[in-house]
Amino acid sequence: MKVTLVSRSGREFIKGGLELNDSATVADLQEAIHKRTKKFYPSRQRLTLPVPSGSRERPVILNYKKSLKDYCDGNENTLTIVFKDLGPQVSYRTLFFFEYLGPLILYPVFYYFPVYKYFGYEEKRVIHPVQTYALYYWCFHYFKRIMETFFIHRFSHATSPLSNVFRNCAYYWTFGSYIAYYVNHPLYTPVSDLQMKIGFGFGIVCQLANFYCHIILKNLRSPDGSGGYQIPRGFLFNIVTCANYTTEIYQWLGFNIATQTVAGYVFLVVATSIMTNWALAKHRRLKKMEGRSTPEDGLFFLHSCRTDR
Amino acid sequence: MASALTVLRRLYLSIYNWLVFIGWFQVLFLALKALKESGHEHVYNAVEKPLLLAQSAAVMEILHGLIGLVRSPVSSTLPQIGSRLYLTWGILWSFPEIIRYSFFGMKEAFGFAPSWHLWLRYSTFLVLYPTGISSEVGLIYFALPYIKASEKYCFRMPNKWNFSFDYFYAAILALGIYVPGSPHLYHYMLGQRKRALSKSKKE
């Protein structure tokens, strides 16, 4: 069959179109485009069905596993596809690794090295126990994240634009340094021993719960990442849609209860709002899959309460 | 019900925009008057009150964008307003502001604005943004030694919340933000100009 490729402005993207087998899949089409254009490897390609002009509907994105025939509207011999370049892409593994590496390395710098000398403070300082525990907690947290990135998480086909590496690293590395500066400060004021124990204890429990959530999510997919989006069940997923985000948020709350810095709480608020956005989007996506029509209610602390069981 | 809300929205936005227009006009008028009669050292004193009012009202615009009252994206209004809030300097900004607010005032109150008005709104920034931004950056830079010496707006450690704020370092950070921020905003305005002026040609 003949596939005509156009850009979003309507211009023909590949002159003369591409000739493919009638039984070809979208993945085959992506390979063909890559072969012709060299620069646009498959994860950079965004292929959609044309939307009638004036229509406000979101375009249908082609699924790489489906065959092209599935998208033919009746006319089996020709197909018009809209192409968009997503820009250079990186795998999620790469993105996550660099995001998390920053906090893992930068935080100990503030703990171990005489950084505060350059801010005008004397070199000698007393280290409170809570500051040491905070170092272990923090580093364990980001070490756990990196391990999960390589050994637990099963990423679907998806990649992320290269520009996100800079944006996300700026976010994690800046906040990491900002918090590390205050927790390890020579003039740091610790909270009570009890409060510290409650904070770290609660945080560790949440991190363990978070790890278990990730295991559940992992088992929804096969090792190569196929399996798409499914509704997770069991454990905390019976109460909230995105239990992994919930436990992550509460884990940071534990850290902040123990260390008590404005910087830490600012980070908590920002991270919570970002994850809330993600949770609402995922909740909407999953509901659409199941075809349920009941409106969800986001109880903010619990990240989109489940209404379906 | 929906149309009553629309009327209310237009009424509110009309009043808001015309009020701020008057504020900025006052700023310009008083600034020029003080400049002529007393010399440049007296300008700030003359414009301080209406300037602070008009500038702070601009915070409302971030809110308007956030709650969906207007269509401007928060990501561009926030740095725009943020930079003006950081430093209030009247004359250069009063020009585009006068044009901008009367433009919106016209649209909200009367439903349209003449094409020369549109042109002014999307063309004066070409000169006034670079000059305005340079004046902001210059003023922050010159104020730095005074900020450091005066220790104004500083909050020190130790304290229960392990928090500190240093106005001097915040000022340096603000200067740093101008570096990527200014080209981004200028580029955004150029895009807006292209869209707005080509759209009006089509009509």
Side-chain angles (χ1 to χ4, degrees):
Chain A
M1 83 168 67
K2 177 158 182 294
V3 179
T4 310
L5 282 152
V6 293
S7 67
R8 280 172 307 156
S9 57
R11 268 186 315 110
E12 210 184 354
F13 174 63
I14 290 185
K15 269 223 145 69
L18 289 171
E19 195 61 50
L20 281 120
N21 253 327
D22 277 1
S23 57
T25 60
V26 175
D28 295 329
L29 173 63
Q30 286 181 318
E31 276 304 307
I33 295 174
H34 181 28
K35 245 176 145 174
R36 265 293 276 277
T37 55
K38 299 283 188 295
K39 184 162 107 157
F40 301 119
Y41 43 86
S43 51
R44 255 178 102 151
Q45 303 169 17
R46 183 176 183 258
L47 303 175
T48 54
L49 289 177
V51 180
S53 72
S55 154
R56 311 208 58 196
E57 286 195 14
R58 307 191 76 194
V60 173
I61 301 182
L62 269 51
N63 183 324
Y64 75 99
K65 277 192 288 202
K66 287 195 150 145
S67 63
L68 292 173
K69 270 211 313 264
D70 294 342
Y71 292 105
C72 284
D73 213 6
N75 188 336
E76 301 274 311
N77 292 335
T78 62
L79 184 59
T80 304
I81 304 283
V82 181
F83 170 91
K84 179 186 170 185
D85 175 25
L86 294 173
Q89 300 284 304
V90 298
S91 69
Y92 269 111
R93 245 179 216 115
T94 311
L95 176 65
F96 284 7
F97 176 68
F98 283 107
E99 283 176 3
Y100 303 151
L101 193 66
L104 185 61
I105 295 189
L106 291 169
Y107 190 104
V109 169
F110 286 88
Y111 181 89
Y112 286 112
F113 293 102
V115 173
Y116 298 94
K117 196 169 61 174
Y118 302 102
F119 289 100
Y121 294 94
E122 284 169 21
E123 237 187 275
K124 199 163 190 355
R125 75 176 221 251
V126 169
I127 295 183
H128 305 278
V130 64
Q131 290 173 307
T132 309
Y133 299 141
L135 170 75
Y136 296 157
Y137 185 99
W138 176 277
C139 290
F140 169 73
H141 178 73
Y142 282 102
F143 174 73
K144 165 179 167 285
R145 286 218 205 177
I146 292 179
M147 289 294 108
E148 285 171 340
T149 300
F150 286 108
F151 299 112
I152 304 290
H153 294 323
R154 285 185 172 159
F155 300 99
S156 65
H157 219 53
T159 54
S160 195
L162 178 65
S163 53
N164 277 356
V165 174
F166 303 108
R167 181 193 70 172
N168 292 14
C169 284
Y171 169 75
Y172 277 101
W173 295 23
T174 307
F175 262 119
S177 309
Y178 186 48
I179 295 171
Y181 172 83
Y182 283 105
V183 181
N184 296 298
H185 202 281
L187 296 178
Y188 175 78
T189 310
V191 297
S192 74
D193 209 49
L194 178 65
Q195 187 174 330
M196 174 191 81
K197 290 188 173 124
I198 291 175
F200 284 136
F202 179 62
I204 289 174
V205 167
C206 291
Q207 288 211 63
L208 290 171
N210 174 265
F211 180 70
Y212 187 53
C213 286
H214 288 154
I215 299 282
I216 292 177
L217 289 172
K218 156 184 172 260
N219 289 330
L220 292 177
R221 286 183 176 161
S222 59
D224 66 357
S226 62
Y229 295 112
Q230 300 169 56
I231 297 185
R233 301 208 186 271
F235 194 49
L236 294 172
F237 289 103
N238 287 336
I239 311 172
V240 292
T241 309
C242 293
N244 48 322
Y245 296 149
T246 312
T247 47
E248 177 69 15
I249 291 166
Y250 282 116
Q251 169 281 128
W252 279 127
L253 180 61
F255 178 82
N256 280 318
I257 289 173
T259 52
Q260 195 155 299
T261 64
V262 167
Y265 276 108
V266 169
F267 176 62
L268 175 66
V269 167
V270 176
T272 301
S273 62
I274 292 174
M275 282 188 265
T276 303
N277 267 334
W278 291 344
L280 287 171
K282 178 154 192 201
H283 188 91
R284 250 179 272 131
R285 205 192 310 133
L286 292 182
K287 258 182 19 140
K288 228 169 43 176
M289 268 171 51
E290 286 278 287
R292 306 215 185 225
S293 56
T294 45
E296 88 281 356
D297 189 333
L299 264 190
F300 265 31
F301 310 111
L302 292 183
H303 281 85
S304 299
C305 250
R306 297 284 298 274
T307 54
D308 53 309
R309 289 298 163 93
Chain B
M1 182 57 194
S3 65
L5 276 176
T6 319
V7 171
L8 204 63
R9 172 185 171 275
R10 283 188 64 173
L11 189 64
Y12 168 75
L13 286 175
S14 306
I15 296 176
Y16 171 79
N17 280 295
W18 283 115
L19 271 180
V20 186
F21 160 81
I22 291 170
W24 279 110
F25 201 84
Q26 240 191 334
V27 168
L28 181 67
F29 179 74
L30 290 172
L32 292 175
K33 181 163 182 274
L35 197 63
K36 183 161 177 282
E37 290 174 358
S38 334
H40 66 95
E41 315 88 25
H42 300 266
V43 168
Y44 183 73
N45 281 328
V47 305
E48 185 175 1
K49 272 222 316 271
L51 181 60
L52 287 175
L53 199 68
Q55 192 63 86
S56 311
V59 183
M60 297 298 288
E61 280 172 51
I62 302 172
L63 189 69
H64 293 165
L66 267 175
I67 64 177
L69 198 62
V70 294
R71 277 212 325 255
S72 312
V74 180
S75 67
S76 58
T77 54
L78 194 60
Q80 278 181 326
I81 308 301
S83 78
R84 277 68 144 327
L85 274 179
Y86 184 81
L87 182 76
T88 51
W89 169 245
I91 291 184
L92 283 168
W93 285 121
S94 57
F95 276 108
E97 298 303 71
I98 287 171
I99 295 166
R100 187 159 159 265
Y101 284 108
S102 58
F103 175 78
F104 282 129
M106 287 289 288
K107 283 207 96 173
E108 294 300 333
F110 304 113
F112 73 96
S115 59
W116 56 262
H117 207 166
L118 180 77
W119 186 89
L120 269 181
R121 187 189 168 217
Y122 281 106
S123 304
T124 48
F125 82 90
L126 290 169
V127 173
L128 296 174
Y129 260 41
T131 44
I133 289 171
S134 315
S135 75
E136 287 180 5
V137 169
L139 282 162
I140 297 174
Y141 183 73
F142 285 121
L144 281 177
Y146 299 100
I147 293 174
K148 190 153 211 234
S150 76
E151 302 244 316
K152 217 172 173 200
Y153 304 130
C154 286
F155 188 74
R156 301 257 177 248
M157 285 191 32
N159 58 76
K160 201 168 79 155
W161 284 99
N162 293 305
F163 175 68
S164 70
F165 181 78
D166 189 311
Y167 195 37
F168 177 69
Y169 288 113
I172 295 188
L173 183 68
L175 279 181
I177 293 177
Y178 274 98
V179 176
S182 325
H184 172 71
L185 280 175
Y186 198 67
H187 190 71
Y188 171 76
M189 283 305 292
L190 283 173
Q192 290 295 92
R193 177 171 199 261
K194 200 162 148 204
R195 254 185 7 141
L197 295 184
S198 71
K199 192 166 80 158
S200 70
K201 266 213 196 79
K202 279 205 197 117
E203 284 168 8

